[in-house]
């Protein structure tokens, strides 16, 4: 019931936000401010204590569609407490980073950390500072499939690579049969769907293939899909919708999109048993990550080739990207207040119910410290 209430609030808020003219931006080359020293109002909503400070008005954001369901739930709680409208477009990580470096957003969401050239571009809109990566949402990238009569499908990295590179084209291929000896696999064409837009989900999915089966995945990786063949759809929701309506389909998207006839593949990693995607199995994988960012940047290096028992290897972390310095004075209070809430214990605890994974305690503690220093 709690999740249903949050979903209803998110839908209502989305309609309200869409009706407004959202023109406020976060970072500017000639408008800087320090952390708000004004009032420190707080509100308690749904059992969560949210510190609003001087948050007001509207915030425009865009980026990762992977975290959309989490953002919707967070926005519903935060906006009710603080009266701030947040319009998160979920247009994909590539679109979010581009808009952020053009100074159009209060913050962006990306499933990949900023590249050096993107950091350089951000300095033009973060006066005296730069864009930084704050890990906020973890979760497994599910390989979802729709094959009538086939449940509990197991695949491994070489087989997945060949499927998404159009080298395995039938569901009864010997490689799939070997991994699923008791399954009744049909003589049915595989229809593999990938993202049409630049996507951090694509980046993380292909990083897994590169790390786990380099002999079978010869592409360099990145946010843009590079393999030949297959079919495409925009955003995670689009790929999931295509898989749902197509018998014989397979695609990759966040676990929160696995529902209504779409099943998730378990991955044979070489561990004692195949690993299914879940909040717990993703958290085990993220706990093995290392902070590789410098200064206040907290970008992580994930171990995509993990063989640890119970660790799901195709896991991503979504970053909120914000200026460390040089945020606009009209959006800084709201941005800090929202980021403070979603990084808090109350904010992180909603993630498992939405099929996401909370950020491990030692990493999220660094995120909270960094947020307080934003200016």
């Amino acid at each position: 019931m709690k999740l249903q209430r949050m979903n209803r609030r998110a839908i209502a808020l989305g309609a309200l936000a869409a009706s407004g003219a959202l023109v406020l931006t976060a970072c500017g080359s000639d408008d800087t401010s320090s952390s708000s020293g004004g009032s420190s109002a707080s509100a308690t909503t749904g059992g969560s204590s949210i510190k609003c400070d001087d948050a007001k008005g509207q915030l425009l954001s865009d980026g990762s569609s992977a975290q959309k369901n989490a953002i919707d739930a967070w926005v519903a709680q935060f906006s009710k407490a603080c009266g701030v409208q947040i319009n998160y477009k979920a247009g994909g990580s590539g679109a979010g980073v581009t808009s952020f470096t053009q100074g159009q957003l209060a913050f962006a969401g990306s499933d990949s950390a900023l590249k050096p050239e993107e950091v350089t571009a951000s300095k033009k809109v973060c006066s005296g500072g730069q864009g930084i990566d704050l890990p906020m949402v973890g979760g497994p990238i599910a390989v979802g499939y729709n094959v009538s009569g086939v449940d509990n499908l197991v695949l491994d990295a070489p087989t997945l690579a060949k499927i998404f590179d159009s080298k395995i084209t039938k569901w009864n291929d010997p490689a799939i049969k070997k991994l699923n000896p008791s399954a009744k696999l049909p003589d049915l064409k595989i229809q593999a769907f990938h993202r049409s837009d630049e996507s951090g989900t694509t980046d993380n999915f292909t990083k897994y293939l590169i790390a786990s089966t380099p002999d079978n995945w010869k592409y360099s990786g990145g946010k843009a899909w590079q393999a030949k063949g297959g079919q495409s759809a925009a955003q995670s929701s689009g790929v999931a919708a295509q898989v749902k309506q197509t018998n014989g389909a397979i695609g990759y998207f966040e676990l929160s999109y696995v529902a209504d006839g779409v099943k998730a593949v378990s991955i044979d990693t070489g561990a004692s048993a195949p690993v299914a995607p879940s909040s717990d199995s993703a958290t085990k994988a993220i706990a093995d990550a290392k902070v590789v960012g410098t200064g206040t940047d907290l970008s992580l290096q994930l171990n995509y080739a993990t063989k640890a028992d119970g660790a799901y290897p195709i896991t991503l972390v979504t970053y909120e990207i914000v200026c460390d310095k040089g945020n606009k004075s009209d959006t800084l209070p709201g941005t800090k207040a929202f980021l403070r809430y979603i990084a808090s214990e109350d904010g992180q605890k909603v993630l498992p119910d939405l099929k996401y994974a909370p950020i491990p305690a030692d990493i999220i503690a660094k995120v909270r410290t960094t947020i307080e220093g934003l200016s």
Side-chain angles (χ1 to χ4, degrees):
M1 292 300 295
K2 178 179 179 182
L3 183 56
Q4 292 174 347
R5 289 195 299 270
M6 288 193 293
N7 286 339
R8 288 197 296 270
R9 291 171 183 158
I11 292 169
L13 179 66
L16 178 61
S19 67
L22 302 177
V23 296
L24 300 182
T25 56
C27 307
S29 59
D30 58 0
D31 186 0
T32 62
S33 72
S34 60
S35 179
S36 172
S39 63
S40 182
S42 63
T44 301
T45 305
S48 299
S49 180
I50 299 175
K51 187 178 180 183
C52 300
D53 285 341
D54 293 328
K56 59 184 178 181
Q58 302 167 335
L59 298 177
L60 180 61
S61 185
D62 192 7
S64 164
S65 63
Q67 68 170 353
K68 183 180 185 300
N69 294 335
I71 290 286
D72 285 349
W74 282 332
V75 165
Q77 294 296 322
F78 181 77
S79 296
K80 182 176 181 180
C82 300
V84 176
Q85 293 182 22
I86 300 177
N87 181 10
Y88 186 77
K89 289 185 177 180
S93 297
V97 171
T98 297
S99 295
F100 178 80
T101 57
Q102 293 174 348
Q104 299 173 6
L105 307 176
F107 65 93
S110 177
D111 306 325
S112 301
L114 291 169
K115 297 178 180 178
E117 61 269 25
E118 293 168 341
V119 173
T120 298
S122 74
K123 293 180 180 180
K124 297 178 182 179
V125 295
C126 300
S127 181
Q130 65 180 49
I132 57 172
D133 303 285
L134 302 178
M136 202 70 73
V137 183
I141 300 173
V143 180
Y145 70 99
N146 176 7
V147 181
S148 297
V150 178
D151 299 313
N152 304 315
L153 186 70
V154 175
L155 296 174
D156 59 11
T159 307
L160 278 170
K162 292 173 185 176
I163 287 172
F164 281 93
D165 200 21
S166 302
K167 293 178 179 176
I168 290 179
T169 59
K170 290 289 188 73
W171 279 108
N172 62 350
D173 187 275
I176 302 177
K177 283 185 174 181
K178 184 177 180 180
L179 291 164
N180 301 272
S182 61
K184 295 181 179 179
L185 297 165
D187 182 13
L188 178 67
K189 180 182 177 180
I190 295 174
Q191 301 198 53
F193 286 88
H194 58 265
R195 289 281 289 271
S196 60
D197 53 319
E198 289 201 356
S199 161
T201 308
T202 294
D203 189 19
N204 283 275
F205 179 63
T206 55
K207 280 179 178 176
Y208 158 72
L209 296 175
I210 292 167
S212 301
T213 184
D215 290 343
N216 293 296
W217 195 260
K218 300 293 188 179
Y219 305 97
S220 61
K223 294 177 183 176
W225 184 256
Q226 297 171 324
K228 307 301 181 183
Q231 302 178 63
S232 65
Q235 284 87 50
S236 293
S237 58
V239 175
Q242 290 297 322
V243 172
K244 177 182 176 180
Q245 68 187 25
T246 307
N247 187 33
I250 189 170
Y252 58 90
F253 33 78
E254 293 64 45
L255 183 60
S256 57
Y257 290 95
V258 174
D260 300 330
V262 178
K263 305 178 183 71
V265 171
S266 292
I267 304 298
D268 183 346
T269 65
S272 61
V275 185
S278 69
S279 295
D280 288 342
S281 62
T283 297
K284 288 182 179 179
I286 296 170
D288 196 28
K290 298 178 181 179
V291 176
V292 294
T294 59
T296 55
D297 184 87
L298 295 173
S299 56
L300 304 175
Q301 183 179 67
L302 299 172
N303 181 10
Y304 296 96
T306 182
K307 295 183 180 180
D309 284 346
Y312 185 77
I314 320 176
T315 298
L316 62 74
V317 169
T318 296
Y319 301 94
E320 311 312 330
I321 296 171
V322 67
C323 294
D324 58 354
K325 299 177 183 178
N327 292 278
K328 279 197 168 183
S329 59
D330 51 1
T331 58
L332 176 60
T335 300
K336 285 185 69 170
F338 182 66
L339 295 179
R340 180 187 296 121
Y341 162 57
I342 68 178
S344 70
E345 182 178 349
D346 285 330
Q348 290 286 299
K349 73 168 56 170
V350 309
L351 293 176
D353 287 342
L354 300 172
K355 298 184 180 180
Y356 294 105
I359 301 300
D362 58 333
I363 299 174
I364 202 66
K366 295 176 182 178
V367 171
R368 293 166 185 157
T369 298
T370 300
I371 290 170
E372 295 308 318
L374 299 179
S375 63

